[in-house]
Amino acid sequence: MALAFEQPRKNLPAAIIVAACLMLGGLLASEWMKPRRVMADELAPIVLPQLIPVRFGDWRLDESGPPVVFDPTVEATLKQVYSQTLNRTYVNAKGQVIMLALAYGKNQNSWSTAAHRPEFCYRAQGFVVTERGAAKVQLDDHQITAMHLVADRSGLVEPISYWVTLHDTTALPGASRKLQQIRFGLQGMIVDGFLVRMSSFGANEAEQFKLQESFARDLEKAVPANMRPRLFGNK
Protein backbone atom coordinates (compact mmCIF):
# COMPACT_ATOMS: atom_id res chain seq x y z
CA MET A 1 0.00 0.00 0.00
CA ALA A 2 2.84 2.39 0.84
CA LEU A 3 4.48 1.82 -2.54
CA ALA A 4 1.23 2.73 -4.35
CA PHE A 5 1.37 6.24 -2.90
CA GLU A 6 5.07 6.92 -3.49
CA GLN A 7 4.94 7.23 -7.30
CA PRO A 8 2.70 10.36 -7.43
CA ARG A 9 4.89 11.98 -4.78
CA LYS A 10 7.97 11.44 -6.94
CA ASN A 11 6.25 12.99 -9.99
CA LEU A 12 4.83 15.99 -8.11
CA PRO A 13 7.94 18.22 -8.26
CA ALA A 14 8.23 17.73 -12.02
CA ALA A 15 4.59 18.70 -12.52
CA ILE A 16 5.09 21.82 -10.42
CA ILE A 17 8.15 22.76 -12.44
CA VAL A 18 6.27 22.34 -15.74
CA ALA A 19 3.35 24.41 -14.47
CA ALA A 20 5.69 27.13 -13.21
CA CYS A 21 7.51 27.22 -16.56
CA LEU A 22 4.23 27.56 -18.43
CA MET A 23 3.10 30.38 -16.14
CA LEU A 24 6.43 32.17 -16.48
CA GLY A 25 6.35 31.73 -20.25
CA GLY A 26 2.85 33.19 -20.36
CA LEU A 27 3.90 36.18 -18.28
CA LEU A 28 6.94 36.82 -20.44
CA ALA A 29 4.87 36.51 -23.63
CA SER A 30 2.21 38.90 -22.34
CA GLU A 31 4.88 41.41 -21.32
CA TRP A 32 6.60 41.09 -24.70
CA MET A 33 3.28 41.64 -26.50
CA LYS A 34 2.21 44.55 -24.28
CA PRO A 35 1.52 47.64 -26.46
CA ARG A 36 4.10 50.38 -25.96
CA ARG A 37 3.91 52.57 -29.06
CA VAL A 38 1.84 55.63 -28.12
CA MET A 39 0.49 56.74 -31.48
CA ALA A 40 -0.65 60.16 -30.24
CA ASP A 41 3.00 61.05 -29.60
CA GLU A 42 3.80 60.41 -33.28
CA LEU A 43 0.91 62.41 -34.71
CA ALA A 44 -0.05 66.06 -34.80
CA PRO A 45 -1.24 67.12 -31.33
CA ILE A 46 -4.95 67.51 -30.70
CA VAL A 47 -6.15 70.91 -29.42
CA LEU A 48 -9.92 70.74 -29.77
CA PRO A 49 -10.77 74.48 -29.73
CA GLN A 50 -8.29 74.98 -32.57
CA LEU A 51 -9.18 71.82 -34.46
CA ILE A 52 -12.91 72.57 -34.78
CA PRO A 53 -13.68 75.84 -36.63
CA VAL A 54 -16.25 78.26 -35.24
CA ARG A 55 -17.52 78.78 -38.81
CA PHE A 56 -17.75 76.28 -41.66
CA GLY A 57 -20.16 75.71 -44.52
CA ASP A 58 -23.46 77.30 -43.56
CA TRP A 59 -22.75 76.84 -39.85
CA ARG A 60 -21.51 79.28 -37.23
CA LEU A 61 -20.96 79.04 -33.50
CA ASP A 62 -24.11 80.05 -31.63
CA GLU A 63 -23.22 82.00 -28.51
CA SER A 64 -26.67 83.46 -27.98
CA GLY A 65 -28.03 80.59 -25.94
CA PRO A 66 -26.80 78.81 -22.81
CA PRO A 67 -23.82 76.47 -23.23
CA VAL A 68 -24.28 72.72 -23.22
CA VAL A 69 -24.02 71.70 -19.57
CA PHE A 70 -23.55 68.17 -18.24
CA ASP A 71 -24.64 66.90 -14.89
CA PRO A 72 -21.65 67.67 -12.56
CA THR A 73 -21.12 63.99 -11.74
CA VAL A 74 -21.15 62.99 -15.42
CA GLU A 75 -18.82 65.84 -16.35
CA ALA A 76 -16.34 64.91 -13.61
CA THR A 77 -16.30 61.30 -14.82
CA LEU A 78 -15.74 62.35 -18.44
CA LYS A 79 -12.75 64.45 -17.40
CA GLN A 80 -11.23 61.43 -15.68
CA VAL A 81 -11.63 59.20 -18.73
CA TYR A 82 -10.89 61.58 -21.62
CA SER A 83 -7.93 63.89 -22.24
CA GLN A 84 -10.04 66.71 -23.72
CA THR A 85 -13.71 67.50 -24.28
CA LEU A 86 -15.46 70.16 -26.34
CA ASN A 87 -19.14 71.11 -26.38
CA ARG A 88 -20.49 73.64 -28.86
CA THR A 89 -23.79 74.72 -30.37
CA TYR A 90 -23.95 75.68 -34.05
CA VAL A 91 -26.71 77.38 -36.03
CA ASN A 92 -27.21 77.77 -39.79
CA ALA A 93 -28.88 80.46 -41.89
CA LYS A 94 -32.25 78.70 -41.53
CA GLY A 95 -32.02 78.84 -37.77
CA GLN A 96 -31.48 75.08 -37.45
CA VAL A 97 -29.38 74.15 -34.45
CA ILE A 98 -26.87 71.33 -33.94
CA MET A 99 -25.17 70.54 -30.64
CA LEU A 100 -21.70 69.04 -31.09
CA ALA A 101 -19.86 67.18 -28.34
CA LEU A 102 -16.37 65.74 -28.75
CA ALA A 103 -14.42 63.67 -26.26
CA TYR A 104 -10.79 62.85 -27.05
CA GLY A 105 -8.76 60.16 -25.32
CA LYS A 106 -5.04 59.68 -25.80
CA ASN A 107 -5.25 56.03 -24.74
CA GLN A 108 -8.14 54.13 -26.31
CA ASN A 109 -6.75 50.69 -25.46
CA SER A 110 -8.72 50.85 -22.23
CA TRP A 111 -12.27 49.52 -22.06
CA SER A 112 -13.24 52.25 -19.56
CA THR A 113 -14.40 54.73 -22.22
CA ALA A 114 -17.12 52.30 -23.29
CA ALA A 115 -18.92 53.02 -20.02
CA HIS A 116 -19.44 56.64 -21.00
CA ARG A 117 -21.38 56.27 -24.21
CA PRO A 118 -24.19 58.80 -24.81
CA GLU A 119 -26.83 56.19 -23.90
CA PHE A 120 -25.50 56.09 -20.35
CA CYS A 121 -24.67 59.79 -20.02
CA TYR A 122 -28.13 60.89 -21.13
CA ARG A 123 -29.87 58.41 -18.84
CA ALA A 124 -27.70 59.62 -15.96
CA GLN A 125 -29.09 63.10 -16.58
CA GLY A 126 -32.72 62.00 -16.43
CA PHE A 127 -33.49 61.40 -20.12
CA VAL A 128 -35.52 58.49 -21.42
CA VAL A 129 -33.34 57.07 -24.19
CA THR A 130 -34.55 54.90 -27.07
CA GLU A 131 -31.92 53.20 -29.21
CA ARG A 132 -32.58 53.27 -32.96
CA GLY A 133 -29.57 51.14 -33.92
CA ALA A 134 -26.75 51.61 -36.41
CA ALA A 135 -27.10 53.70 -39.56
CA LYS A 136 -24.86 54.77 -42.42
CA VAL A 137 -23.70 58.39 -42.52
CA GLN A 138 -22.65 59.61 -45.96
CA LEU A 139 -19.64 61.91 -45.86
CA ASP A 140 -17.99 63.64 -48.80
CA ASP A 141 -16.16 60.59 -50.15
CA HIS A 142 -16.96 57.67 -47.85
CA GLN A 143 -19.50 56.30 -45.41
CA ILE A 144 -19.21 55.64 -41.72
CA THR A 145 -21.55 53.81 -39.38
CA ALA A 146 -23.09 55.79 -36.53
CA MET A 147 -25.40 54.90 -33.69
CA HIS A 148 -28.78 56.64 -33.61
CA LEU A 149 -30.58 57.39 -30.35
CA VAL A 150 -33.59 59.46 -29.36
CA ALA A 151 -33.57 61.12 -25.94
CA ASP A 152 -36.70 62.55 -24.34
CA ARG A 153 -37.06 64.59 -21.20
CA SER A 154 -40.38 66.24 -20.36
CA GLY A 155 -41.51 66.01 -23.98
CA LEU A 156 -38.37 67.63 -25.44
CA VAL A 157 -37.21 65.19 -28.14
CA GLU A 158 -33.50 65.10 -29.02
CA PRO A 159 -32.35 62.74 -31.82
CA ILE A 160 -28.66 61.87 -31.44
CA SER A 161 -26.00 60.51 -33.80
CA TYR A 162 -22.62 59.34 -32.52
CA TRP A 163 -19.63 57.19 -33.39
CA VAL A 164 -16.24 56.39 -31.92
CA THR A 165 -12.83 56.33 -33.56
CA LEU A 166 -9.65 54.46 -32.78
CA HIS A 167 -6.59 55.88 -34.53
CA ASP A 168 -7.83 56.23 -38.14
CA THR A 169 -10.81 53.87 -38.01
CA THR A 170 -14.42 54.21 -36.90
CA ALA A 171 -16.11 51.56 -34.78
CA LEU A 172 -19.37 50.82 -33.10
CA PRO A 173 -19.51 50.40 -29.33
CA GLY A 174 -19.25 46.87 -28.01
CA ALA A 175 -17.71 44.00 -29.94
CA SER A 176 -16.70 46.11 -32.96
CA ARG A 177 -14.72 48.51 -30.80
CA LYS A 178 -13.18 45.72 -28.74
CA LEU A 179 -11.95 43.90 -31.85
CA GLN A 180 -10.33 47.10 -33.08
CA GLN A 181 -8.64 47.54 -29.71
CA ILE A 182 -7.26 44.01 -29.89
CA ARG A 183 -6.09 44.49 -33.49
CA PHE A 184 -4.12 47.63 -32.63
CA GLY A 185 -2.84 46.12 -29.39
CA LEU A 186 -1.40 43.10 -31.23
CA GLN A 187 0.53 45.57 -33.38
CA GLY A 188 2.00 47.09 -30.23
CA MET A 189 0.00 50.30 -30.67
CA ILE A 190 -1.63 52.40 -27.95
CA VAL A 191 -4.10 54.38 -30.04
CA ASP A 192 -5.95 57.60 -29.42
CA GLY A 193 -9.50 58.27 -30.50
CA PHE A 194 -12.69 60.26 -30.30
CA LEU A 195 -16.27 59.97 -29.30
CA VAL A 196 -18.14 62.25 -31.73
CA ARG A 197 -21.71 63.16 -30.86
CA MET A 198 -24.16 65.50 -32.54
CA SER A 199 -27.78 66.14 -31.67
CA SER A 200 -30.67 68.43 -32.47
CA PHE A 201 -34.24 69.01 -31.33
CA GLY A 202 -37.32 67.86 -33.22
CA ALA A 203 -39.91 65.11 -33.20
CA ASN A 204 -39.28 64.24 -36.86
CA GLU A 205 -36.38 61.85 -36.33
CA ALA A 206 -35.65 61.21 -40.02
CA GLU A 207 -35.41 64.94 -40.68
CA GLN A 208 -33.10 65.53 -37.71
CA PHE A 209 -30.80 62.61 -38.57
CA LYS A 210 -30.55 63.94 -42.13
CA LEU A 211 -29.64 67.39 -40.78
CA GLN A 212 -26.96 65.85 -38.57
CA GLU A 213 -25.53 63.96 -41.55
CA SER A 214 -25.30 67.22 -43.51
CA PHE A 215 -23.58 68.87 -40.54
CA ALA A 216 -21.07 65.99 -40.29
CA ARG A 217 -20.28 66.27 -44.01
CA ASP A 218 -19.63 70.02 -43.71
CA LEU A 219 -17.54 69.55 -40.59
CA GLU A 220 -15.34 66.89 -42.18
CA LYS A 221 -14.53 69.20 -45.09
CA ALA A 222 -13.65 72.00 -42.65
CA VAL A 223 -11.21 69.94 -40.57
CA PRO A 224 -7.58 69.88 -41.82
CA ALA A 225 -7.00 66.94 -44.17
CA ASN A 226 -4.42 65.28 -41.93
CA MET A 227 -6.87 65.28 -39.02
CA ARG A 228 -9.94 63.96 -40.84
CA PRO A 229 -9.19 60.23 -40.40
CA ARG A 230 -8.87 60.74 -36.66
CA LEU A 231 -12.42 62.12 -36.45
CA PHE A 232 -14.11 60.41 -39.38
CA GLY A 233 -11.97 57.37 -40.19
CA ASN A 234 -10.32 56.48 -43.47
CA LYS A 235 -12.17 55.76 -46.69
Side-chain angles (χ1 to χ4, degrees):
M1 293 290 292
L3 290 175
F5 286 95
E6 285 182 10
Q7 189 63 31
R9 287 179 185 155
K10 290 179 181 178
N11 293 337
L12 188 59
I16 293 174
I17 291 171
V18 171
C21 288
L22 289 173
M23 290 176 62
L24 179 60
L27 288 172
L28 291 173
S30 64
E31 183 63 23
W32 178 73
M33 295 177 66
K34 185 178 179 180
R36 290 181 173 81
R37 185 182 174 191
V38 181
M39 299 306 299
D41 293 341
E42 302 178 19
L43 301 170
I46 297 291
V47 183
L48 286 180
Q50 298 175 15
L51 175 62
I52 307 302
V54 296
R55 284 181 175 270
F56 56 91
D58 189 31
W59 299 94
R60 62 175 176 81
L61 183 65
D62 182 11
E63 299 180 294
S64 62
V68 179
V69 179
F70 285 115
D71 175 273
T73 303
V74 174
E75 187 170 16
T77 305
L78 288 172
K79 287 181 178 179
Q80 290 177 354
V81 174
Y82 293 102
S83 308
Q84 299 178 53
T85 59
L86 180 73
N87 297 282
R88 284 180 177 173
T89 300
Y90 287 87
V91 61
N92 64 12
K94 296 179 181 178
Q96 296 169 308
V97 173
I98 291 285
M99 291 166 288
L100 174 68
L102 300 176
Y104 170 73
K106 189 175 180 179
N107 181 353
Q108 289 292 323
N109 283 43
S110 168
W111 187 243
S112 61
T113 51
H116 303 286
R117 288 152 46 184
E119 297 96 313
F120 308 133
C121 289
Y122 270 79
R123 287 179 180 130
Q125 297 176 81
F127 287 84
V128 175
V129 178
T130 305
E131 300 181 22
R132 297 298 191 220
K136 295 295 183 183
V137 173
Q138 182 61 55
L139 301 176
D140 194 40
D141 57 4
H142 71 292
Q143 286 185 333
I144 59 175
T145 302
M147 294 297 294
H148 279 174
L149 315 170
V150 178
D152 187 317
R153 185 165 65 180
S154 302
L156 185 62
V157 180
E158 184 179 350
I160 303 157
S161 299
Y162 83 89
W163 62 88
V164 295
T165 67
L166 290 91
H167 191 41
D168 58 358
T169 65
T170 58
L172 294 178
S176 171
R177 183 176 184 272
K178 188 60 179 177
L179 288 172
Q180 291 284 52
Q181 287 176 318
I182 293 171
R183 183 171 70 86
F184 285 120
L186 290 174
Q187 297 176 65
M189 300 165 65
I190 298 173
V191 297
D192 64 349
F194 283 88
L195 188 153
V196 181
R197 190 198 81 207
M198 52 196 66
S199 63
S200 51
F201 294 113
N204 188 328
E205 298 174 20
E207 183 179 281
Q208 296 306 313
F209 288 137
K210 185 177 180 180
L211 177 65
Q212 293 164 21
E213 181 179 57
S214 175
F215 178 89
R217 195 158 45 243
D218 288 342
L219 178 59
E220 185 200 28
K221 288 186 285 189
V223 170
N226 66 318
M227 292 292 190
R228 290 172 193 165
R230 298 172 76 178
L231 278 165
F232 301 94
N234 273 320
K235 298 177 185 179

